[in-house]
Amino acid sequence: GENKNLFRTCSAMEEVFLCSITHEMMRDPVVAEDGYSYERSAIERWFSGGHNTSPMTNLPLASLELRPNIALRQTISSFRQQNETGLQTRTEVDELVHIEPSEEREVRRRVEMERTSHVVETFVFSSTAEACQAVKEVLGKPTRGKTSDAHDVHLLLGVIRAFPAVEKVLALSLRALGDAARVSLPLKSVMAYNHAVPLVLAVMCRFPESLKIQAMVCWVCENLASQSVYNRNIMLLQYDAATPVLNALRLSIVHNCADLALRALFCIEAFAWPTKRFTMSLISKGAILSILSTMEVFSDNGKVQYAACSALENLSNHDFIDIKRCLVRDGAVSRIVKAMQDFSDRELIQEQACLLCHHLAELTEIRANFVDEGLVPLINDAIGKFPKSKAIRDCAKLFDVAVPVISCLETRINLLRFELSHFI
């Protein structure tokens, strides 16, 4: 029917929802020592029957301990809810995330048109070593973006499908897939139309405790979402990519892993940029508090502070007053001020913080909060150190801070440099 979700029927995502013992969709998934996810009651029955081996590999298990797979449980719960409600809108957030049948028909038309121009290739690998070598050859290529590189995308997706439980192979393949998506717009489309989105999200759910896998999947999703293309972002939204990415961000806090935090933050930044739908989806899942918690945990890491400010700036760069109020309510003002104080000599952090301040301070009530937190002296200090920065100058004018006069030519050059840096 016309109202049927276009993307729910893809088996790549649903396969990971099934228990390896009962082959039914799980409700309480847990991870055993072998790395596979099972329905808790099914694997407990397996152990109580006298087995101390893996149901999948039949190899002895060093421990019978079971760990809750929270990311997979939340993803399955979201999947169930969408199928049971038929995407019926009940709140403002639901209305923004909802996709109209006319939009879905347009996506279907584009997908079918693109599929006719891409031939899906199959690959057979005799060993993990052979697969790793094939992926390394793709990583070693000096250039990308040519038509022939579609073959490489099919190869990488084939490796991921062929070795769903081998972490080393998956991490290498995901890195290569993210690299390809980063530099080539045509290859992003090849990935999207060959179901890369559900495939990589399934890998993310399969390895909920692997920091490397979580970071590499964020890398792929970030690059698929950048340089927004309508039907790619619809796929990311419909497969609820925001939930596992936010789980990855929270995982980085638990394990104090700055690299994973960076990848997740840049992924959230890319998600928040294109549409209000994605922004509201992120906010409804607690993105703001998660980002602010990350800023607090990694308060001495300049890269994380910059990425967090960028993500918050994109979340606030919409016309929703409530988003700005949510940021202030959750303590964003104090975190921004702290970042500006701690990294007063880092121009990029000062610029990104000023951009965020500019968005929030458009509301008079919020501007007063910034003044109370002592932002004005920090802006005055920043404009003294970086007088040519357009973002800092604009923010200074908003708070009535004196701005040094520079020549018209310098102004144009700085404006061009600012726009180019954000475009790239």
Side-chain angles (χ1 to χ4, degrees):
E2 292 294 345
N3 294 326
K4 206 170 197 179
N5 190 331
L6 174 61
F7 302 109
R8 286 185 192 145
T9 58
C10 178
S11 61
M13 188 63 174
E14 293 180 27
E15 183 181 353
V16 78
F17 295 166
L18 304 182
C19 172
S20 303
I21 298 175
T22 65
H23 301 291
E24 296 179 354
M25 190 172 291
M26 293 179 280
R27 290 187 177 275
D28 185 13
V30 292
V31 181
E33 187 69 22
D34 59 1
Y36 289 93
S37 292
Y38 306 92
E39 177 64 40
R40 182 183 291 276
S41 59
I43 189 65
E44 286 179 346
R45 281 198 304 270
W46 172 265
F47 290 152
S48 63
H51 299 284
N52 64 349
T53 57
S54 164
M56 293 296 291
T57 65
N58 206 33
L59 296 175
L61 296 173
S63 168
L64 301 186
E65 180 185 0
L66 301 173
R67 302 186 308 278
N69 192 336
I70 298 173
L72 181 57
R73 185 172 63 201
Q74 290 178 344
T75 306
I76 293 174
S77 176
S78 176
F79 179 87
R80 284 181 182 276
Q81 185 178 10
Q82 286 185 0
N83 278 273
E84 290 169 1
T85 61
L87 290 177
Q88 294 175 357
T89 57
R90 294 187 301 273
T91 64
E92 181 184 0
V93 172
D94 293 330
E95 291 172 3
L96 287 163
V97 174
H98 177 65
I99 295 176
E100 297 296 333
S102 59
E103 294 178 297
E104 191 171 292
R105 286 195 297 270
E106 175 62 14
V107 175
R108 186 191 297 273
R109 184 188 69 78
R110 296 185 191 183
V111 169
E112 293 303 325
M113 180 178 67
E114 288 288 337
R115 278 181 181 162
T116 60
S117 62
H118 299 303
V119 178
V120 178
E121 303 176 61
T122 57
F123 298 88
V124 178
F125 304 96
S126 59
S127 65
T128 56
E130 182 184 345
C132 284
Q133 183 58 37
V135 175
K136 287 177 181 177
E137 288 177 3
V138 174
L139 281 169
K141 291 186 176 180
T143 58
R144 294 188 184 278
K146 300 177 182 178
T147 306
S148 59
D149 282 347
H151 168 85
D152 295 337
V153 171
H154 290 301
L155 183 144
L156 295 172
L157 295 177
V159 170
I160 293 171
R161 291 187 177 101
F163 299 94
V166 184
E167 184 176 349
K168 178 183 176 182
V169 177
L170 290 172
L172 201 62
S173 302
L174 290 167
R175 176 190 162 193
L177 204 62
D179 288 351
R182 178 172 179 261
V183 298
S184 173
L185 189 60
L187 290 186
K188 294 175 194 274
S189 298
V190 174
M191 293 175 201
Y193 300 127
N194 285 279
H195 304 301
V197 173
L199 188 64
V200 299
L201 292 178
V203 173
M204 204 173 196
C205 293
R206 197 177 294 120
F207 293 88
E209 298 296 326
S210 172
L211 302 181
K212 182 177 289 187
I213 291 293
Q214 298 290 311
M216 289 299 100
V217 173
C218 287
W219 173 240
V220 174
C221 290
E222 172 199 341
N223 290 313
L224 280 174
S226 62
Q227 293 182 330
S228 171
V229 172
Y230 176 77
N231 39 344
R232 277 206 316 277
N233 287 318
I234 291 294
M235 288 181 183
L236 286 163
L237 182 61
Q238 282 299 293
Y239 279 118
D240 193 21
T243 296
V245 169
L246 286 171
N247 286 336
L249 183 61
R250 292 159 189 150
L251 186 68
S252 74
I253 297 173
V254 172
H255 293 278
N256 197 30
C257 180
D259 289 340
L260 176 56
L262 271 175
R263 290 275 62 88
L265 286 168
F266 282 130
C267 192
I268 292 169
E269 178 194 12
F271 284 175
W273 173 253
T275 63
K276 293 178 181 178
R277 289 174 181 165
F278 236 142
T279 299
M280 294 306 295
S281 176
L282 286 163
I283 290 174
S284 69
K285 298 175 191 301
I288 294 175
L289 283 174
S290 296
I291 295 170
L292 294 176
S293 298
T294 307
M295 292 181 76
E296 184 176 359
V297 171
F298 299 99
S299 58
D300 59 343
N301 190 308
K303 291 182 179 178
V304 171
Q305 296 298 308
Y306 169 78
C309 286
S310 298
L312 291 174
E313 191 261 324
N314 274 4
L315 286 173
S316 67
N317 194 17
H318 293 288
D319 297 330
F320 291 136
I321 295 176
D322 287 343
I323 294 178
K324 296 177 173 63
R325 287 176 176 155
C326 282
L327 281 161
V328 175
R329 180 199 64 200
D330 292 337
V333 173
S334 60
R335 293 311 319 170
I336 298 167
V337 169
K338 181 74 164 53
M340 292 184 72
Q341 288 173 339
D342 293 346
F343 299 93
S344 59
D345 58 339
R346 301 279 287 274
E347 183 175 4
L348 286 176
I349 295 177
Q350 296 293 315
E351 281 189 339
Q352 207 60 54
C354 283
L355 277 172
L356 179 54
C357 292
H358 194 280
H359 289 318
L360 296 179
E362 289 172 355
L363 294 179
T364 307
E365 61 192 85
I366 296 177
R367 196 178 309 172
N369 287 358
F370 277 115
V371 174
D372 294 341
E373 290 283 348
L375 181 69
V376 174
L378 294 175
I379 297 175
N380 192 38
D381 181 53
I383 198 68
K385 291 180 178 178
F386 313 107
K388 297 180 181 180
S389 169
K390 181 182 184 302
I392 297 174
R393 293 174 68 87
D394 288 346
C395 188
K397 291 175 183 176
L398 189 65
F399 285 91
D400 298 323
V401 174
V403 178
V405 178
I406 59 176
S407 69
C408 182
L409 178 60
E410 282 185 302
T411 303
R412 287 192 170 188
I413 292 174
N414 291 331
L415 178 59
L416 181 61
R417 180 173 63 85
F418 175 79
E419 291 176 346
L420 284 174
S421 67
H422 281 71
F423 175 78
I424 293 171

